[in-house]
Amino acid sequence: MKKFLLVATATLFSTPAFAGVYVNSEVNNGYTGSDYDGRTVDIHVGLEGSASKLDYYIQGGPALTAVADVNGTETEFSGKLGGTFNVTQKLGIYGELSGITKKDADNSYGSKLGLKYTF
């Protein structure tokens, strides 16, 4: 997770322009079938901007996790780095890398990659 954040921060700060700072709070609930597994509430501070055809963001902060049938919450650290490369005005390629720490287990990581076409 530390290497991910170091690379993400270095990449962001080497980009020439910033558009702004933002706060993003997000609630993610997990289910297996109809059974509730748990919840994570992210409270992130981020930076976003654009450079040429690239729109980008980096955000991170505390993540409050609660597991089904367990009393209390754990505070972890989570973060995301992502962006969209605008191939044309109607077509973009987007991606995101994310991660969250886990006190009693291996850290968890995720990735997204996709295309978005606007009509």
Side-chain angles (χ1 to χ4, degrees), residues 27-101:
V27 177
N28 295 293
N29 293 302
Y31 296 87
T32 301
S34 60
D35 295 330
Y36 173 72
D37 294 327
R39 170 179 298 133
T40 300
V41 178
D42 294 325
I43 305 168
H44 289 173
V45 174
L47 295 168
E48 64 183 354
S50 296
S52 187
K53 292 185 170 196
L54 179 67
D55 300 323
Y56 57 87
Y57 62 92
I58 183 171
Q59 65 183 54
L64 310 173
T65 61
V67 179
D69 302 323
V70 176
N71 289 330
T73 60
E74 295 285 332
T75 301
E76 305 291 349
F77 180 83
S78 65
K80 297 178 183 179
L81 166 70
T84 300
F85 179 76
N86 299 298
V87 179
T88 68
Q89 287 185 343
K90 294 186 175 263
L91 178 64
I93 301 171
Y94 66 88
E96 180 180 276
L97 298 174
S98 61
I100 185 169
T101 61

